[in-house]
């Protein structure tokens, strides 16, 4: 059977045998692997995992069943690249690591760069981490423990601790000879760093500058001393902004004494950028940032419950405004039918403004220097669209219910609510940012509460006055 | 006066004089520049712009007034780095380019890499582009025109056309000597490419591999032939996914005959990742992706109008369901007060599901292989939270209105609507994706329409049956 299996995937685990035109994994490929796992065809599986890029191996792992995942790692032993586990959802990673023998995990961890090892281990609780760290040689254990001591989301957690640091008085030739003669260089690097005798960072030399210079050129001629560096405690989001802004591929990480302790590379930063975008998007949608596609029903339901509870409270608040006008609603039931339209239109206009505001705050495009202008502009946009939709809604409402004046009433309410929505949509995120809360997480609830309450109140209040209801 | 100005910013345009602790531009700094522009202090301004990183210069330009921006470019002439204009909003860029003399723009464009020049020019309409291109030497003009001919958002538009290609039979030493002796190398590069006699791409050699190898090692020993390459017509989003997945810093771009025509580097890809995240976020918030913070009121209002109009239509549709039950609403006005709660809770639950679905589709985590499992899971989450909120809302509604049975009615409606929301939230984005529409753009409207209609219908329908209303 396994011969057949092999025939499907070979020659050489061709990329096209693995993925369809859309880039998705082929079901036949996943099936073939499942069958090989069931048949314990270790030889074939070892060949497979050592050919696959870690990212592809990660995708394959996610496509397998829970117990197949662990069996795959066990069957392939030393050929399995543990960095593939950093390519899968944290829930999946945690599950696999907990099922495996700590000694096996320790073996896998030893093969990783510090940043990858930290990323792998940080999903485990401290006890499980200790069990694995205990199986490592003391020097490697100490280094990892140090990295794990840095706060989550800090540069210290993300950095690689392998880097090339050379003395300031070397020439290009000396640096090149050093790299040719040193066996244990980082797996990938884009620049080397110049340090003084006690490891204080002095500057960076990019490899392309090194390569286009003659051997006798002193490094001091090439070194970039103005290069932005990162402090171990810096937040990863700050680091990502720096990379994006100055087009960096790597940045030195220094401790509080300006000693070079690591390097952050662009691949980690790309992950951060994607994570942060993910967080903002989910936060605006009312989903916690750690929800993952592989989570179980119960975990997801619980995670989403809190936000829905907050929303329920605000929905009751908005409805209590309707409750204030019970008598009027009974006298003119058209008001009950139309009120949600005013609230909904305001809510959507406010969401537009809020989305722009949250994004502009995240990218630092919106700040004290342009706040007044942007707020004014949003208010005007609210007015313009308020008037436009006042006309449309007014005509439609009159055409529907044929009540004279109803169009004017809903039109006026629409203008009020779109202006309120615009102001709420911009001022609430700005206020949250100033209070150092994350505008993406909390703005939505506040903003739609404003437009529900203002929408109902304006519409029913104006209607009560206009029609003389009581 | 300008002496004073200089004193504020110097020594050497120190970063801290320019930005506060938060990284925002200091108002005093911007003021100092404004004054120097007003005083036409070209010497000082030239010193300033040549010291500033293009990204910082871009931020400064955005902080200036419209006419100051153009004056700054004019006053600083050849010292002004036009790549700074790629760091500002497209609206601002277009405005500046249109104000400047075409000859001046052409001079600036000549200093740029092909990808930067294309990015700069593509905001202009064809006529304005031609005016500038006409001022360039024929060879540069042809190259730019070729790049501008590639479709928008394609790899061809994003690539740099400067790269290092060497023959397959060279050694490391020959490659290094070539780089040392060639004056016109790309400004920054991370790898070199091996090509055959007719420029067919053969593989990549990263600079770190080159540097750690001895001079006599043949390049064929170092070359990575499996490296993913990009085709000129590939969509930039596809390219970004490739970089993120395989941790690339550069990728060769080939034409349909596998001839090497350019290289895409990670800094361009970071821009793409940010743009795409921006697009998805804005699309979910009902804002067009090209809306920018510097746009005028009218442009913004018009851009947002369309989506609000669609929303208005769906709001009327939902309200027409309320209209069907006018008599029942009049008999029991509590129904009118509570109906928006059912709709709102469903809408929010659906938005949570939709957000996760849209993101998972964008990152390719959700596909045919796991669709059934994810849909089932979402339906179950809807059921679990539906039951939870049925209890909470039921008790609250009964406590409020003291109508026996009202709690049961709203509870049942809540369960229906949260399940409908969950299914709508996952199935609608998946259906849109299958129809090759962008799920981020269109899902929101459809999804909340479902929960509004189902919410009103379920609540009022169940109430009508339970209380025997007519």
């Amino acid at each position: 059977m396994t011969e057949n299996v092999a025939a499907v995937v070979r020659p050489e685990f061709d990329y096209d045998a693995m993925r369809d035109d859309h880039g998705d994994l082929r079901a036949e490929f996943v099936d073939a692997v499942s069958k090989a796992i069931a048949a314990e065809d270790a030889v074939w599986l070892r060949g497979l995992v050592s050919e696959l890029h870690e990212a592809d191996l990660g995708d394959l792992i996610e496509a397998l069943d829970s117990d197949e995942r662990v069996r795959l790692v066990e069957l392939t032993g030393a050929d399995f690249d543990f960095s593939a586990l950093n390519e899968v959802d944290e829930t999946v990673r945690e599950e696999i690591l907990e099922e495996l023998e700590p000694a096996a995990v320790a073996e896998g961890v030893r093969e990783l760069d510090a940043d990858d090892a930290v990323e792998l281990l940080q999903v485990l609780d401290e006890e499980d981490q200790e069990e694995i760290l205990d199986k490592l040689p003391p020097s490697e254990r100490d280094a990892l423990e140090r990295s794990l001591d840095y706060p989550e989301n800090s540069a210290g957690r993300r950095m690689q601790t392998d880097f090339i640091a050379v003395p300031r008085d070397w020439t290009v030739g000396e640096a090149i000879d050093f790299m040719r003669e040193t066996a244990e260089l980082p797996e990938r690097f884009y620049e080397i760093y110049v340090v003084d005798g006690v490891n204080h960072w002095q500057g960076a030399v990019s490899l392309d500058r090194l390569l286009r210079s003659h051997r006798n050129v002193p490094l001091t001629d090439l070194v970039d001393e103005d290069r932005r560096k990162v402090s171990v405690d810096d937040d990863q989001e700050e680091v990502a902004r720096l990379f994006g802004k100055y087009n960096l591929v790597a940045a030195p990480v220094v401790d509080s004494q300006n000693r070079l302790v690591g390097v952050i590379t662009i691949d980690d930063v790309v992950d951060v950028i994607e994570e942060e975008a993910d967080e903002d998007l989910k936060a605006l949608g009312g989903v916690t940032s750690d929800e993952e596609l592989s989570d179980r029903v119960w975990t997801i339901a619980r995670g989403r419950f809190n936000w829905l509870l907050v929303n329920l409270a605000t929905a009751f608040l908005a409805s209590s405004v309707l409750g204030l006008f019970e008598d009027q609603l009974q006298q003119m039931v058209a008001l009950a039918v139309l009120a949600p339209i005013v609230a909904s239109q305001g809510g959507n206009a406010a969401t537009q403004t809020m989305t722009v505001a949250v994004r502009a705050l995240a990218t630092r495009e919106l700040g004290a220097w342009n706040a007044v202008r942007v707020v004014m502009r949003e208010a005007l946009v609210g007015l313009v669209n308020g008037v436009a939709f006042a006309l449309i809604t007014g005509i439609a409402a009159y055409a529907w219910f044929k009540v004279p004046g109803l169009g004017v009433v809903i039109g006026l309410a629409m203008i009020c609510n779109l202006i309120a929505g615009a102001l709420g949509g911009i001022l609430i995120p700005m206020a949250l940012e100033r209070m150092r809360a994350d505008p993406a997480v909390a703005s939505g609830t506040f903003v739609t509460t404003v437009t529900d309450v203002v929408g109902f109140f304006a519409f029913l209040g104006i209607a009560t006055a206009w029609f003389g209801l009581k």
Side-chain angles (χ1 to χ4, degrees), chain A residues 32 40 62 82 103 151 214 230 301 304 310 328 348 410 449 466:
Chain A
E40 309 218 326
E62 289 209 322
F82 270 64
H214 284 276
V230 168
R304 296 191 194 164
V310 173
Q328 291 86 338
N348 281 288
I410 200 169
T449 307
W466 184 279

Side-chain angles (χ1 to χ4, degrees), chain A residues 168 170-172 194 204-205 209 213 216-225:
Chain A
R168 203 187 164 81
W170 278 15
T171 62
V172 167
V194 173
V205 182
R209 294 203 75 177
S213 305
N216 52 0
V217 173
L219 289 184
T220 42
D221 283 8
L222 304 180
V223 73
D224 181 358
E225 291 168 349

Side-chain angles (χ1 to χ4, degrees), chain A residues 1 9 17 31 36 68 121 128 142 170 178 194 198 203 208 247 262 278 280 288 292 365 376 445 456:
Chain A
M1 189 189 72
V9 191
D31 267 357
E68 288 175 341
L121 293 177
D128 289 334
D142 290 352
W170 278 15
F178 169 77
V194 173
V198 286
D208 58 352
N247 292 340
D278 205 65
D280 280 356
T288 54
E292 291 182 329
E365 285 181 274
M376 282 296 302
T445 320
F456 288 155

Side-chain angles (χ1 to χ4, degrees), chain A residues 214-365:
Chain A
H214 284 276
R215 285 185 62 88
N216 52 0
V217 173
L219 289 184
T220 42
D221 283 8
L222 304 180
V223 73
D224 181 358
E225 291 168 349
D226 294 335
R227 270 285 303 289
R228 300 262 130 224
K229 59 199 175 194
V230 168
S231 151
V232 272
D233 298 318
D234 282 354
D235 188 83
Q236 60 178 10
E237 204 172 340
E238 211 50 60
V239 176
R241 211 177 343 254
L242 201 70
F243 270 71
K245 196 172 176 71
Y246 297 109
N247 292 340
L248 307 178
V249 290
V253 183
V254 296
D255 67 10
S256 54
Q257 272 92 51
N258 197 33
R259 279 184 306 231
L260 184 61
V261 291
V263 53
I264 290 196
T265 50
I266 183 74
D267 51 318
D268 298 313
V269 171
V270 167
D271 292 344
V272 172
I273 294 173
E274 285 176 342
E275 278 169 31
E276 299 286 344
D278 205 65
E279 264 178 39
D280 280 356
L281 195 85
K282 283 181 171 166
L284 282 171
V287 182
T288 54
S289 60
D290 49 357
E291 182 179 317
E292 291 182 329
L293 212 63
S294 50
D295 285 347
R296 291 171 200 289
V297 170
W298 192 245
T299 317
I300 295 184
R302 217 172 34 201
R304 296 191 194 164
F305 177 87
N306 295 333
W307 197 80
L308 289 176
L309 189 64
V310 173
N311 175 66
L312 185 68
T314 67
F316 267 99
L317 178 67
S319 279
S320 71
V321 175
L322 287 181
L324 292 177
F325 294 92
E326 253 183 81
D327 296 339
Q328 291 86 338
L329 291 174
Q330 201 144 25
Q331 288 168 59
M332 193 185 273
V333 80
L335 299 180
V337 174
L338 294 174
I341 294 176
V342 179
S344 151
Q345 198 70 354
N348 281 288
T351 301
Q352 292 179 326
T353 303
M354 180 188 74
T355 302
V356 172
V358 164
R359 185 68 192 161
L361 286 169
T363 56
R364 298 279 174 80
E365 285 181 274

Side-chain angles (χ1 to χ4, degrees), chain A residues 88-96 290 292 294-296:
Chain A
V88 304
D89 268 5
E90 290 196 3
T91 319
V92 174
R93 191 188 316 159
E94 197 181 340
E95 219 179 76
I96 298 175
D290 49 357
E292 291 182 329
S294 50
D295 285 347
R296 291 171 200 289

